[in-house]
Amino acid sequence: MKTGLFCNYENHHLDARRTIFEQVLLVKEAESLGFEEAWVTEHHFNEFNLSPSILLLLAHLAGVTSQIRLGTAAVLLPFHQPIRVAEDIATLDNLCSGRLAFGVAKGGPFPQQNKHFGVTTQESRTRMLESVALIQKLLYETDVSFNGEYYQCENLTIHPQPLQKPIPIYVASGDDDAVKFAAENSFGLMGGPPFSLERLRKTVNKYREFNSSGAEKFLLARFFFVGKTHDEAVNEALPFIRHFSKEMTANSTQVMQKSPQQPAFDRTNICFDEDYLIENSIIGDVNGCRDKIKKFQDELDLSTLALKPSSFSLQKNRESLQRYNQEVRNYV
C-alpha cells in the first residue's frame, strides 16, 4: 500500500498566500518522508478551500518536487471543456516528468457549482463519462474525430503528447454506471473522507463484478491525525472536523431541498456528523491509527491511503506525519 497526502488548501487563517505556502510545505514534507503520492482537490466558490485552479496548483507542485507522484482528486469534468483539459493534462505530465495521475469526478453535491457553471446535476455524470472518453482519445491518438451528446471534434491532434502512455486514471464515484465504466477501462477508484466503509465496500465489490483484475487500484482518502494519545489527537483534529461537519450539513440540507431524489445522507452512505467523521477517520494514538488502517486494508484492498492532516497548525500536522512515518507506516 502506498501512502499519499490529500491536499485541500484550507484557508484556516483567512490568508490565501499563507494557505498556499503551508500546503506546499506539507507536500514537500511528505516527499521528504518518502510518501509516494500527493493528491489535490478541486473546490469552487469557497473561502475555506482555495483550490479552484487545480491544474495550476499541480504545475507549481511539479516545480518544487522531484519524486512524489502528483494527482488530481479530482478534476470536476462537467465544469471544464474536455479538449482544453486534455491539453493541460498532457502539458502537466511533461512538467512533472511523467509523475501525473488523473482523478475525475462529476462535482457535487454543491448546487452553486452546477448553477454558475451552467450544468444541471442530472447531466453531470453523463458529461463526466463522455469527457473521459474524449480525453482518452485525444491523449493517445491523432486525427481524433468524436461526436458525443455534449462534445464534438473532427480530425484533431493535441500537442504536446503526454510522457506516460497511459496516464493512470481514477474515477471518484459510487454510481453503478460510473463504476462499471471504470472497471471496463481498468481505471482506478477513489473514495472520499466522509464515505462510509459500507458504501466503499459495495463500490469495490461492484467493480470486481466487472473487472476482477483491476480492483487493486483503489485510493482511499481519510481525515488524519496521529497523536501521542487518543484524546490529544481528537482534540487537535476537532476544530477542523467541526468546521467540515457544519459546512457539509448545511450544504446537504440545501441539496435535499433542491433534489429530493438525492440518496439520503446517512451512516450507511455518507454522513457529516462529528462523531461519525472522527470514527471513520484515522484519528487517534499510534495503536488506534494502526488498527483503523488495517481494517480499511482488509476490507478494501487499498492501493493508496491518502492522508488529510486535520490540525489547523502546520507544525502539528508535520509532527503527525512524522509520527505516522516512524510509528505507524511500517506496521500496516
Side-chain angles (χ1 to χ4, degrees):
M1 182 189 74
K2 298 182 179 69
T3 300
L5 191 71
F6 199 65
C7 309
N8 279 345
Y9 286 79
E10 286 148 347
N11 192 15
H12 308 305
H13 309 291
L14 301 181
D15 182 335
R17 187 172 181 275
R18 177 178 176 180
T19 294
I20 294 170
F21 178 74
E22 289 191 350
Q23 184 65 79
V24 170
L25 286 180
L26 275 183
V27 173
K28 293 171 73 172
E29 179 78 33
E31 182 174 57
S32 73
L33 293 173
F35 284 27
E36 291 91 347
E37 300 173 359
W39 296 82
V40 176
T41 61
E42 179 177 333
H43 295 274
H44 296 277
F45 321 128
N46 186 327
E47 67 177 354
F48 190 70
N49 297 107
L50 304 183
S51 53
S53 303
I54 182 174
L55 300 182
L56 278 178
L57 294 173
L58 283 163
H60 179 227
L61 292 176
V64 298
T65 61
S66 60
Q67 299 294 324
I68 197 167
R69 179 172 285 277
L70 302 173
T72 63
V75 175
L76 307 183
L77 282 180
F79 309 144
H80 300 277
Q81 214 291 337
I83 297 173
R84 184 56 188 269
V85 172
E87 291 180 320
D88 287 346
I89 289 296
T91 302
L92 185 54
D93 194 48
N94 279 273
L95 280 175
C96 65
S97 302
R99 290 184 283 137
L100 184 65
F102 183 34
V104 302
K106 70 178 182 66
F110 299 99
Q112 262 206 326
Q113 295 180 1
N114 293 90
K115 174 183 176 181
H116 292 290
F117 287 117
V119 178
T120 68
T121 55
Q122 291 76 21
E123 68 186 39
S124 289
R125 185 170 287 106
T126 52
R127 278 184 178 269
M128 177 190 75
L129 298 179
E130 187 175 303
S131 288
V132 175
L134 174 54
I135 291 168
Q136 277 284 92
K137 293 177 72 68
L138 289 170
L139 287 175
Y140 312 116
E141 300 177 19
T142 58
D143 300 317
V144 172
S145 293
F146 189 90
N147 187 26
E149 180 179 357
Y150 302 104
Y151 309 110
Q152 299 81 35
C153 65
E154 185 175 351
N155 298 325
L156 179 62
T157 303
I158 67 164
H159 302 281
Q161 294 290 299
L163 286 183
Q164 297 178 92
K165 298 185 185 296
I167 295 171
I169 291 182
Y170 290 77
V171 178
S173 179
D175 173 78
D176 286 353
D177 289 341
V179 173
K180 180 180 178 182
F181 176 81
E184 290 176 344
N185 289 278
S186 290
F187 298 155
L189 293 175
M190 306 176 75
F195 292 177
S196 73
L197 182 56
E198 182 176 343
R199 170 180 170 153
L200 296 169
R201 191 189 303 115
K202 289 179 180 177
T203 298
V204 170
N205 290 339
K206 177 65 67 175
Y207 187 107
R208 288 173 178 157
E209 290 178 14
F210 299 108
N211 183 347
S212 60
S213 64
E216 73 280 359
K217 302 175 186 175
F218 189 87
L219 179 145
L220 177 66
R222 274 298 183 260
F223 299 142
F224 162 81
F225 194 89
V226 55
K228 295 177 182 177
T229 68
H230 175 81
D231 287 346
E232 176 197 273
V234 171
N235 289 336
E236 192 63 44
L238 191 57
F240 165 79
I241 295 292
R242 185 160 289 159
H243 181 279
F244 180 85
S245 172
K246 182 178 179 180
E247 183 179 70
M248 293 304 297
T249 298
N251 187 73
S252 62
T253 300
Q254 184 181 5
V255 170
M256 295 304 294
Q257 289 172 345
K258 292 189 174 184
S259 304
Q261 73 278 10
Q262 170 77 29
F265 295 93
D266 61 43
R267 291 173 183 246
T268 66
N269 178 31
I270 178 173
C271 181
F272 307 115
D273 295 344
E274 285 183 22
D275 62 326
Y276 168 92
L277 290 170
I278 291 173
E279 178 61 29
N280 283 273
S281 299
I282 300 170
I283 295 172
D285 60 16
V286 167
N287 289 329
C289 288
R290 289 177 185 173
D291 290 343
K292 286 188 175 183
I293 293 171
K294 287 178 180 177
K295 182 177 181 180
F296 287 127
Q297 284 180 306
D298 292 342
E299 294 279 355
L300 302 172
D301 190 22
L302 301 178
S303 61
T304 299
L305 176 64
L307 303 174
K308 165 62 196 76
S310 297
S311 172
F312 282 174
S313 163
L314 172 64
Q315 184 57 35
K316 291 288 187 180
N317 283 329
R318 295 179 73 172
E319 292 171 2
S320 176
L321 292 176
Q322 292 164 6
R323 186 172 291 113
Y324 168 85
N325 215 48
Q326 295 167 358
E327 301 184 55
V328 178
R329 189 175 184 181
N330 292 333
Y331 296 88
V332 294

